[in-house]
Amino acid sequence: MEPHVEPHPQLPVGNRLFFCVEYPGIVKNVDRAIDTLGGYKAIIQAYQGKDHHRMEMKYRPNDPFCHTINGNVLPSSRLLLKVTRRRRKDQPEEDAQITTEILGIVPYTCRFRSMADFQYVVPATDPIKQLTHDLRDVNVEGIKQFQERISTELPENQQNLPPPAFVMMETPSTYDYKQNAPIVRVRVLQPDGSYKMKLVNKNQVKASLLTSIVFEATNVPEASLKHLPTPQGAVIEVNARLREAFEDRPIWSKAALRGYLGPKDSKLLDECLPYFAYCFQNGPWRECWVRYGLDPRKSKEYGIYQQMDFRSNLKTNNTYVRARRVKRQYGQIGDAPPNESTKTEKSRNCPEAIAYVFDGVRMPSGSAWFQMCDITDPDLLPAIRNQAYLHDGPPTKRCGFYYPSAFEAVRNCLRTKFQQLAEQGYADRIYNLANAELDARVRADMAAMEQKKERDGKRDAADVAAAAASIAGTAEASGSAAAAASSSFPSTAELQQAMQTPLDIQAMQDYSDIDMEGSDFDELEYTSDEADSGDEAREL
């Protein structure tokens, strides 16, 4: 016969939901503790966020330079239990009446498990800190006095702003006195035929051999500015393919070259590029590789190789950006969660899609950076290939050879279609981009550029005239000084007579008393290199 077991009592669970915060400290004042977490608004945002935002805690909530301690909001299965203890004053402790009640469920808990960052307290008298308080309190007079406070501050007392984070890692790592993972032991062949063990860092960054210039540079390099080693092995084959590529197309993006070479040869792209091309650091051909000796700023025929980039504003539930201290993962601030739309987007990226080509149908990649020649969308081609939308130069730093209105029209349409492909998997057609309205705006840009050239021409002419007048005045003054100096020189007959008289002190004194006033020899200037011999020179 089985023993009789009494069932456990069933307790009712409330329908209320609670949010638990494991506060890293002893709480004596609840209001102050909530202020350190950013207030009720930050707590509600962390709880209701679909991607479960991280919560920030500041021990000095009113100090904008205080480094935060980050907490993670994680799902949990907890119950909130309320324990009530009642007793009379004349009643002993053991006779107190204790009752319990389950108030509700705790579905999410915020835990602070990351290490705190180093803190630097900026002095209250620092002008930058005073400016932050004035901006927060909208103190107009204090904002106006900021420049005055900076100018009166002594240079030795001025300090740099502390960085957003001192330490990049939030979680501690176990060292255990082990060898660093990238360090490996290899055998190196010696000249005598023996082998020697050597430690090699696989992650060591090699010295860059790439040649790059800025858009404002006067000349372009005819060859590499670095000493390049002799190609060997697989580099020779990749160089042959790159030579053909730059003969067919003078300007390439790195993504396009990777697609041209394939995944195998692309591994040697950074090693082979310095033999054939240089790179622009800024301007309309930024991050494009141009064949040596070719200057795309000279002709508008190279406008088709300009780059166009934009900021892809993918929709997220929060636009707040935190100073990152750890590797970015899904679920952090500013990242889209791996929801069904993201999975659907990845599935729509068919293998035929080319990473550097935008055709308006397939999502090329996550990069919003394309060359004009790689945009094959039929809705955008009428504006890109229209020669009326390009001027003869010189190219501008932002739009290159394209008129600003035409460039921005193509850029806005490209951004819209890219956004639609990323969010819904397809993009709506844009008809008649090169319309009469865009033509009118381009003509307005053309007139504005002509007016600017006319103003610049008048300004240059005025500068040339002022320079000529200055040169003429200087020449006249120099002529007067030379005439005055020549009048003080003794005549040739006096010099000959002085030469025939060996010690004619008066004639030599007349010869040496040359008026040097107004010449370049009034004072002696000593550089820092001549400081040691300055006293000796003054004695001489």
Side-chain angles (χ1 to χ4, degrees):
M1 183 176 180
E2 296 181 358
H4 176 71
V5 178
E6 295 183 1
H8 291 284
Q10 295 183 358
L11 301 177
V13 178
N15 296 327
R16 299 172 61 185
L17 300 179
F18 294 90
F19 180 46
C20 177
V21 178
E22 297 180 359
Y23 193 84
I26 301 176
V27 178
K28 295 183 178 180
N29 189 321
V30 178
D31 294 333
R32 294 184 62 182
I34 293 177
D35 290 340
T36 60
L37 297 175
Y40 288 101
K41 183 178 179 180
I43 297 176
I44 293 173
Q45 184 181 10
Y47 176 73
Q48 294 181 348
K50 294 182 179 179
D51 54 352
H52 298 159
H53 297 160
R54 303 174 72 189
M55 186 178 293
E56 292 182 339
M57 190 197 70
K58 290 184 176 181
Y59 283 119
R60 303 189 307 278
N62 296 325
D63 187 0
F65 301 102
C66 177
H67 291 183
T68 61
I69 300 178
N70 299 327
N72 295 321
V73 179
L74 303 174
S76 60
S77 300
R78 293 182 174 185
L79 299 176
L80 181 60
L81 180 65
K82 179 181 179 181
V83 180
T84 305
R85 178 176 169 273
R86 293 186 177 91
R87 73 177 182 89
R88 293 190 302 269
K89 293 183 178 179
D90 56 347
Q91 190 177 12
E93 291 285 343
E94 56 271 9
D95 294 340
Q97 182 182 2
I98 299 177
T99 59
T100 59
E101 179 186 1
I102 300 177
L103 299 181
I105 304 173
V106 183
Y108 293 103
T109 301
C110 178
R111 296 190 178 114
F112 292 88
R113 295 293 187 267
S114 59
M115 296 187 300
D117 193 14
F118 293 99
Q119 303 286 334
Y120 176 77
V121 180
V122 180
T125 58
D126 190 273
I128 300 297
K129 188 168 185 178
Q130 295 179 6
L131 177 63
T132 57
H133 290 298
D134 294 336
L135 292 174
R136 184 185 58 188
D137 302 336
V138 196
N139 185 4
V140 179
E141 295 299 329
I143 297 173
K144 291 181 180 179
Q145 296 174 2
F146 171 70
Q147 187 64 32
E148 181 180 352
R149 292 198 297 262
I150 287 292
S151 59
T152 56
E153 186 77 15
L154 296 178
E156 57 270 15
N157 296 334
Q158 294 182 1
Q159 301 176 355
N160 294 327
L161 295 178
F166 285 107
V167 182
M168 300 304 298
M169 299 299 297
E170 288 187 340
T171 56
S173 58
T174 305
Y175 182 65
D176 287 342
Y177 296 95
K178 294 181 179 179
Q179 183 62 267
N180 193 8
I183 303 297
V184 296
R185 300 172 66 91
V186 297
R187 294 199 312 166
V188 181
L189 180 62
Q190 301 298 315
D192 57 355
S194 61
Y195 288 92
K196 182 180 179 181
M197 300 301 296
K198 183 179 180 182
L199 297 177
V200 177
N201 186 358
K202 297 188 297 182
N203 292 349
Q204 184 178 4
V205 179
K206 296 181 179 179
S208 176
L209 299 177
L210 306 178
T211 300
S212 61
I213 63 173
V214 295
F215 177 72
E216 297 80 8
T218 305
N219 301 319
V220 299
E222 298 290 337
S224 177
L225 303 179
K226 309 290 182 64
H227 177 69
L228 301 179
T230 304
Q232 295 179 357
V235 177
I236 300 177
E237 300 178 2
V238 178
N239 281 355
R241 298 190 60 188
L242 282 179
R243 184 178 294 104
E244 297 177 357
F246 280 100
E247 289 177 357
D248 298 337
R249 173 173 162 177
I251 304 175
W252 289 77
S253 66
K254 246 188 179 180
L257 285 174
R258 290 193 185 99
Y260 175 82
L261 295 176
K264 180 181 178 181
D265 292 342
S266 296
K267 298 178 181 179
L268 300 175
L269 183 59
D270 291 339
E271 188 175 351
C272 299
L273 265 178
Y275 292 94
F276 303 98
Y278 67 94
C279 178
F280 275 100
Q281 299 177 6
N282 56 356
W285 294 277
R286 179 175 59 88
E287 299 181 10
C288 292
W289 292 90
V290 187
R291 188 177 60 207
Y292 282 129
L294 176 66
D295 191 351
R297 302 168 296 181
K298 300 297 183 181
S299 175
K300 69 176 183 180
E301 66 175 306
Y302 301 110
I304 196 64
Y305 300 109
Q306 294 178 199
Q307 63 88 17
M308 176 175 289
D309 61 344
F310 52 88
R311 191 182 298 275
S312 58
N313 299 321
L314 297 179
K315 291 184 179 180
T316 57
N317 296 321
N318 185 35
T319 57
Y320 180 74
V321 179
R322 168 184 285 108
R324 296 198 305 269
R325 293 178 57 200
V326 292
K327 186 177 180 180
R328 179 181 289 269
Q329 298 175 353
Y330 283 116
Q332 292 187 4
I333 301 300
D335 282 342
N339 50 21
E340 294 300 326
S341 61
T342 307
K343 298 177 182 178
T344 308
E345 173 193 334
K346 293 183 179 180
S347 63
R348 290 194 183 103
N349 292 337
C350 51
E352 292 79 10
I354 304 177
Y356 61 92
V357 175
F358 185 84
D359 57 4
V361 178
R362 295 163 295 188
M363 184 68 182
S365 65
S367 175
W369 191 99
F370 305 96
Q371 279 185 279
M372 290 291 195
C373 59
D374 294 329
I375 300 176
T376 60
D377 189 346
D379 296 341
L380 305 180
L381 284 180
I384 295 176
R385 303 288 181 175
N386 194 338
Q387 294 297 317
Y389 293 165
L390 282 79
H391 55 84
D392 295 331
T396 60
K397 188 175 182 178
R398 175 176 175 80
C399 304
F401 285 104
Y402 282 87
Y403 287 105
S405 297
F407 186 85
E408 291 300 329
V410 174
R411 188 168 180 264
N412 293 335
C413 293
L414 181 62
R415 182 196 293 112
T416 301
K417 303 192 77 170
F418 185 91
Q419 192 89 1
Q420 292 176 351
L421 285 174
E423 294 176 358
Q424 60 192 21
Y426 65 91
D428 299 331
R429 294 292 304 273
I430 299 177
Y431 299 98
N432 197 17
L433 176 60
N435 51 24
E437 181 181 358
L438 181 58
D439 294 342
R441 294 204 303 267
V442 169
R443 286 194 295 269
D445 293 342
M446 189 183 308
M449 292 182 67
E450 293 296 333
Q451 293 177 2
K452 184 177 183 302
K453 288 182 180 180
E454 185 177 355
R455 290 195 304 268
D456 293 344
K458 291 181 180 179
R459 188 182 300 110
D460 294 342
D463 294 341
V464 170
S470 177
I471 293 174
T474 304
E476 183 178 357
S478 300
S480 301
S486 61
S487 62
S488 63
F489 271 84
S491 62
T492 305
E494 294 175 349
L495 290 176
Q496 291 178 353
Q497 184 179 0
M499 292 175 65
Q500 293 176 359
T501 306
L503 294 177
D504 193 344
I505 304 300
Q506 184 62 37
M508 294 182 67
Q509 184 177 0
D510 294 339
Y511 177 70
S512 61
D513 291 341
I514 300 175
D515 186 10
M516 303 298 291
E517 185 178 357
S519 65
D520 296 333
F521 303 95
D522 291 340
E523 299 179 358
L524 289 176
E525 297 182 359
Y526 303 98
T527 62
S528 59
D529 297 336
E530 301 169 342
D532 296 336
S533 59
D535 296 336
E536 183 181 356
R538 281 191 291 271
E539 292 177 0
L540 290 175

